[in-house]
Amino acid sequence: MNQAEKEAYLREYSILKNEGKPFFPYAVAKDAVMAAITIGVIIYLALMFGAELGPKADPTTTTYVPRPDWYFFFLFEVLRVMKNVPMFTPMATIGVPTICMILLFLLPFYDRSPERRIERRPIALAAGLATIFAIAFLTYSGANTGSPNSVDMKPPSSFTAEQVATFNAGKLVVGQSGCLACHTIGDNGNNGPGPPLTHIGSIRSAAAIASTLRNPTPPMPSFKGLAQQYPQKFQNLVNFLSELQ
Amino acid sequence: MPRLPAPPLPKILQPKPKRPGEERNGAGPVSPVEAGITVVDWIDERTSLSPALRWLLFRKVPRGINWFYTLGSATMFAFLSQAVTGVFLAMYYRPDASGGAYESVRYITDDAFLGQFVRAMHKWGASVMIILIFLHMARVFFFGAYKYPRELTWIIGVTLLILTLAMGFTGYLLPFDQRSYWATIVGVNINAGGPLIGPYLADFLRAGPEFGATTLSRFYAIHMLLIPGAIVALIGAHLYLVTKLGISAPPWLKVNAEPESDQSEV
Ligand code: HEM
């Protein structure tokens, strides 16, 4: 906006303001209704859904799937989508959000046109809608794909139906157990400190894998607890790993 | 003592003029209403607060203000609700990672009178506030209300948005159950991967290179002192600017070529 446009705006605005009504009580009345609705909704949600408390934090297990609150799903989702390209991972996490934040801060400085009606600001309209859809989509898929720990892999087509079933069941346990924090399986997970497990089935027997899981060399945590509490899950895990040929 | 001029209230809210017979002659006990007015006058004589209040309350808002304009104050009320419920939670919460934090939240949830209700209000209030702040921002964006002269209001608003999200992040660790612990570890590690200040930010949050005993009290201090203080101050600045500059008119309103007031005078 140049000087003339600024002055024109201020002149027009002061007329519109003078035609208006006092803030109290006219605007305050609407604000009060809205405040009552807000508090009402919060109380309703609190009564309907309560607040649960999970098991106590245990730094010695890695058997927990980290889940943020829903309004951070879109950030986790960005991380999950970009993690397959290691070069992009720092970009995906702080990089992209930082850039978005700077763009948001500077909005009044690069959008300088005096036009305020949204139907006459096609670029702003498109950018606004695109942002809303992107965040909604990322939140939705973040809510559905679980954590950045899940294994994204298809069983080989040569498998029988039974093998496919154990493969999928074990894949789930791997995701829940946090193995990917230290191992890669296919394109998933961090490379190190543990060795890649992509072909572990052809290197070690199922019995050797099971005994490693029970009595590993540090820093790998022991999964003895899993074997005792959920033998079926543990069996699925071992079967899955030995299917990784 | 000089009396204040009457505020421009609508008819129904104005006090009715006294009927001729009702006149009291200064004798007799003071009515509670008049005593209240005397107290207000007394305070005002010493503080001169009332011009500020009139400036805040009896400023004009352009005609055509609609329900979308209530989203900002609704965000503020959600924040106030968080502040009140947060104070009650702080009366029972102990930021002790080695035993105490989880147990105190368990006590709030299971035993304290209305504890679970207050905790649930605080938890769901956070989501409501986040939704409202995004809706408020969307209304400001689509109405073009961030343009001249309201750029600074917008910048303060973005800071408030970031601080509100930071409240969500720091608060999530406090119950110290598995979910909050592991989500926060991942969150801090994400920060550590960021450019430039990333590793320093992560170290600051963890209170060291490892997630340790002081991490929890650090999150607690950030969550209940540092950020809320900053939010209160910034909301003050935000509202000062909104009042000073006037709330923007709906963008579709145009000034009539002949202002109505002129026609009525003819
Ligand atoms: C804690 C969070 C916030 C609170 C309590 C708050 C409160 C308010 C209130 C009460 C108003 C008066 C008008 C209205 O309600 O629409 C307002 C106006 C405004 N807000 Fe916020 N706000 C917050 C966050 C934000 C954010 C995140 C942004 C944008 C990034 C923003 C930008 C603005 C702007 C530009 C105005 C002036 C609008 C106009 O004059 O039409 N605010 N805010």
Side-chain angles (χ1 to χ4, degrees):
Chain A
M1 284 173 97
N2 57 35
Q3 199 55 34
E5 284 166 337
K6 285 181 179 173
E7 277 165 20
Y9 175 77
L10 291 181
R11 218 176 309 122
E12 188 175 311
Y13 176 70
S14 76
I15 297 175
L16 285 173
K17 189 172 170 183
N18 266 324
E19 286 174 355
K21 292 176 170 175
F23 174 72
F24 180 88
Y26 295 98
V28 168
K30 271 188 185 154
D31 284 348
V33 171
M34 194 62 179
I37 295 175
T38 305
I39 304 293
V41 168
I42 294 177
I43 291 180
Y44 172 80
L45 290 170
L47 290 176
M48 282 303 286
F49 301 106
E52 85 280 19
L53 185 63
K56 187 175 175 177
D58 181 358
T60 58
T61 57
T62 36
T63 56
Y64 199 82
V65 190
R67 290 293 267 167
D69 232 348
W70 63 268
Y71 40 83
F72 288 120
F73 278 171
F74 70 99
L75 274 180
F76 265 48
E77 186 62 6
V78 170
L79 167 69
R80 199 188 72 85
V81 170
M82 308 271 276
K83 77 170 181 206
N84 290 342
V85 190
M87 199 182 79
F88 281 171
T89 308
M91 286 311 292
T93 54
I94 288 285
V96 172
T98 311
I99 292 168
C100 292
M101 234 155 63
I102 293 172
L103 285 179
L104 205 59
F105 264 116
L106 296 183
L107 173 66
F109 301 102
Y110 55 82
D111 177 10
R112 306 178 71 91
S113 89
E115 183 57 61
R116 285 162 207 250
R117 306 185 60 163
I118 190 65
E119 65 273 24
R120 304 212 186 120
R121 294 155 58 206
I123 300 176
L125 181 63
L129 291 181
T131 310
I132 292 174
F133 281 123
I135 292 198
F137 176 76
L138 286 172
T139 302
Y140 173 79
S141 51
N144 284 307
T145 39
S147 79
N149 277 354
S150 66
V151 187
D152 200 8
M153 238 177 143
K154 287 208 168 49
S157 49
S158 59
F159 272 22
T160 64
E162 201 184 331
Q163 281 171 313
V164 170
T166 48
F167 188 93
N168 285 331
K171 194 167 83 172
L172 209 64
V173 184
V174 169
Q176 291 168 345
S177 307
C179 315
L180 297 181
C182 309
H183 295 281
T184 48
I185 299 180
D187 292 334
N188 308 279
N190 295 329
N191 194 4
L197 299 179
T198 316
H199 304 291
I200 187 71
S202 53
I203 311 172
R204 303 261 183 269
S205 68
I209 293 173
S211 85
T212 306
L213 289 175
R214 284 205 176 85
N215 302 305
T217 333
M220 176 161 153
S222 167
F223 290 88
K224 209 184 245 167
L226 184 72
Q228 280 158 3
Q229 279 178 333
Y230 305 101
Q232 186 56 47
K233 274 193 178 176
F234 187 76
Q235 198 52 49
N236 290 340
L237 178 62
V238 173
N239 290 347
F240 168 74
L241 290 173
S242 50
E243 275 174 6
L244 293 173
Q245 301 287 343
Chain B
M1 203 194 295
R3 298 307 306 259
L4 301 164
L9 287 175
K11 269 246 163 54
I12 21 166
L13 290 182
Q14 279 170 10
K16 293 207 179 63
K18 290 207 174 93
R19 288 161 169 274
E22 266 180 329
E23 217 78 48
R24 264 194 290 102
N25 301 324
V30 189
S31 79
V33 176
E34 281 180 22
I37 291 175
T38 314
V39 171
V40 170
D41 280 346
W42 187 89
I43 294 176
D44 195 49
E45 208 185 341
R46 278 142 191 94
T47 59
S48 304
L49 269 181
S50 77
L53 270 180
R54 318 181 120 243
W55 177 74
L56 181 72
L57 288 179
F58 299 116
R59 66 191 149 111
K60 284 196 166 172
V61 291
R63 67 193 159 85
I65 295 286
N66 55 34
W67 286 97
F68 291 112
Y69 286 78
T70 63
L71 289 165
S73 72
T75 314
M76 189 175 73
F77 279 105
F79 175 72
L80 289 180
S81 162
Q82 291 302 89
V84 172
T85 50
V87 166
F88 283 107
L89 291 177
M91 291 175 182
Y92 293 96
Y93 182 75
R94 259 174 297 143
D96 184 355
S98 58
Y102 179 80
E103 285 73 11
S104 66
V105 178
R106 165 94 27 248
Y107 176 79
I108 293 172
T109 315
D110 295 345
D111 298 326
F113 175 64
L114 287 184
Q116 165 147 183
F117 175 65
V118 172
R119 199 183 143 220
M121 267 187 81
H122 199 72
K123 182 183 152 161
W124 291 102
S127 295
V128 168
M129 181 172 171
I130 301 253
I131 293 174
L132 285 172
I133 199 172
F134 273 109
L135 290 178
H136 171 57
M137 191 169 88
R139 132 40 208 147
V140 167
F141 179 80
F142 286 117
F143 281 32
Y146 54 86
K147 300 192 172 195
Y148 175 84
R150 301 189 179 80
E151 296 95 330
L152 192 57
T153 322
W154 169 270
I155 289 175
I156 294 177
V158 179
T159 317
L160 280 169
L161 174 73
I162 292 167
L163 289 177
T164 306
L165 288 173
M167 283 300 266
F169 177 68
T170 50
Y172 202 63
L173 174 69
L174 300 181
F176 217 62
D177 59 2
Q178 285 280 58
R179 167 198 285 265
S180 64
Y181 180 78
W182 289 105
T184 308
I185 294 228
V186 173
V188 173
N189 287 344
I190 291 177
N191 275 330
L196 299 180
I197 60 161
Y200 302 101
L201 188 62
D203 279 353
F204 171 71
L205 286 172
R206 277 186 301 238
E210 290 295 324
F211 212 89
T214 42
T215 310
L216 187 61
S217 41
R218 182 161 294 213
F219 268 62
Y220 185 51
I222 295 175
H223 182 78
M224 68 167 263
L225 290 171
L226 184 63
I227 304 182
I231 289 185
V232 168
L234 287 175
I235 289 181
H238 199 69
L239 294 189
Y240 168 75
L241 284 177
V242 169
T243 312
K244 167 110 189 1
L245 301 170
I247 192 82
S248 67
W252 52 86
L253 272 196
K254 281 281 157 275
V255 176
N256 306 334
E258 297 279 311
E260 281 165 35
S261 52
D262 286 3
Q263 287 167 345
S264 62
E265 273 166 20
V266 171

